[in-house]
Amino acid sequence: MTGSPPVLRLANVGKIYGGRRALAGVSAAFEPGRVAAVLGPNGAGKSTLLGILSTLVAPTTGEVRWGQAPLAHGSHLRARIGYVGHDPGLYGDLTALENLILFAALYGVADGRERADTLLARVGLSDVPADAPARTFSRGMLQRLALARALTHDPALLLFDEPAAALDPAGADWLATELGAERAAGRVVVLVTHDLEAAAAIANQVVILRRGRVVFDETPAGGFGAAALRATYEAKTRA
Amino acid sequence: MPESPPPGPRPPGFVAQALRIAAKDLAIEWRSREVVATMTFLAVVVVLIFSFAFVVEGSRPPAPVVAGIIWIALVMSGTVGLGRAFDREREGEAIRSLLLTPAPRAAIYLGKLVATCALMAITETVLTGLAAVLFSASLGDVIGRVALLLVLGTVGFAAAGCIFSAALLRARGRDALLATLLYPIIVPIVIAGARGTTQLIDPISPDFDGARFWTQFLVAVDILFVTAGLWAFEPIVSGD
């Protein structure tokens, strides 16, 4: 990635869906060159938080700033964001190459074909039959292609929403390696996951949400041990 | 620490984005021919059913009947196409990836509109030819004007339909809901199209002035519906 992105800051962010509070008073900062893992039980507001960071969901209160620039609903800064969810976000009727060329074109990437070839090689999909539509891919292959799609435009912020869900252990290991590579590339990386072991292995910062509120946010210099993180998680999320 | 994220690639212009999205839809359809085949088959079936019901052997059906059959077949087959317009975006949550690109929402809408109109145009070509043969409709001298009415009607129909189709992206029973919501809105298009076509294909005394009025009426409706669609698509797909 060219140039280091600024810090991403949330200030008192809240979200209410039809009277139901999904997030309340969330403040946090995500720095480049780190992987921030957002943890929490189901319904804690993790995906809503990711939706707000992606600009696809508008916060009800508070604001998100990326450096000095507001990262608001519909902001042009969305062009600097890459998103990998548990659904691949791809066109199943298009081939891997066609998917990447399409998104490269929509982002205005010069030499979209070359970029697509490079990314397919990086995620290990170069050998896939050229005429195979994405719908014929295995779950692991789709997640590889989803990551390639998210990287097509060299984003400065990468958001992952339970990307390892339904991946086999080898796929999860591959994903952890890729997350590490993106951290090293100096991107802001935010990972929503239920996998505490994976979070302990890869994350520099851990944010725990419970009932829409931040109950834990730390960035220890020595990283997290899996046992310590589990103990902290259980203590912070116990009803 | 920088004050804002480093700039990314410069996205293409509005029209280029819209055409890229339309080209994607048409490329997918060209490969499967799934939607256009269903639309055309339905249109042919509707024309045949109505011809059995209304056409007396040995006599040419009245112009209003022929025009009505063409426009009803167009609306019914078009509804099938609209029902599938956003299916490919829904599967695998491709819509989220699309909405995250710098493509303006209005460009996405325009792309879907262009693709839908193109598919409907294919069906209409078959439909009009079939109606001309089955009903001995005198289209020869007025085919250009009838085509213009069909194109204008298609644009208005698809403009309204794409909005409802997007709004029902995640709704259960969206096919039934689409017809229920869309048909009351497109009544003016069907009336204008059918009346205009009737006046053009009348074998005894074609009324070109009357048809011109309905053509102008459809232009006005198209401007209204397309403008409303470009404006409404953003809040509809951004609704959280």
Side-chain angles (χ1 to χ4, degrees), chain A residues 140-238:
Chain A
M141 290 164 75
L142 280 175
Q143 279 307 76
R144 286 170 187 263
L145 184 55
L147 178 63
R149 191 254 309 138
L151 293 173
T152 303
H153 54 296
D154 193 20
L157 168 62
L158 262 176
L159 305 173
F160 292 86
D161 189 2
E162 299 182 36
L167 284 184
D168 59 21
D173 287 347
W174 168 82
L175 191 63
T177 306
E178 292 300 321
L179 277 165
E182 296 314 319
R183 172 178 58 192
R187 303 184 207 276
V188 180
V189 182
V190 181
L191 164 70
V192 162
T193 183
H194 283 291
D195 187 341
L196 299 183
E197 279 70 31
I202 192 72
N204 310 94
Q205 176 185 6
V206 167
V207 176
I208 300 177
L209 292 176
R210 179 170 176 262
R211 293 180 184 169
R213 293 183 183 278
V214 174
V215 292
F216 180 83
D217 182 0
E218 286 193 11
T219 311
F224 295 89
L229 181 58
R230 180 165 292 281
T232 304
Y233 180 83
E234 287 176 357
K236 295 293 181 185
T237 58
R238 196 172 295 138

Side-chain angles (χ1 to χ4, degrees), chain B residues 101-196:
Chain B
T101 68
R105 307 308 196 235
I108 297 173
Y109 168 76
L110 191 61
K112 303 301 286 187
L113 175 60
V114 168
T116 304
C117 287
L119 297 184
M120 287 183 68
I122 295 169
T123 301
E124 283 162 18
T125 306
V126 175
L127 175 68
T128 313
L130 184 68
V133 171
L134 282 179
F135 307 133
S136 309
S138 37
L139 290 173
D141 297 336
V142 292
I143 189 68
R145 295 175 199 235
V146 171
L148 179 61
L149 274 174
L150 287 170
V151 167
L152 291 172
T154 299
V155 170
F157 175 79
C162 282
I163 283 294
F164 285 110
S165 186
L168 297 170
L169 187 69
R170 298 178 206 284
R172 272 193 247 173
R174 58 187 166 278
D175 289 333
L177 277 172
L178 177 62
T180 308
L181 294 171
L182 179 61
Y183 286 178
I185 302 287
I186 52 119
V187 164
I189 293 172
V190 177
I191 291 174
R195 293 273 172 86

Side-chain angles (χ1 to χ4, degrees), chain A residues 19-21 47 49 65 74 86 108 157 165 169 182 198 207 219 228 234-235 239:
Chain A
R20 187 183 65 82
R21 191 182 66 191
S47 292
L49 178 64
R65 297 191 83 86
H86 37 80
L157 168 62
E182 296 314 319
V207 176
T219 311
E234 287 176 357

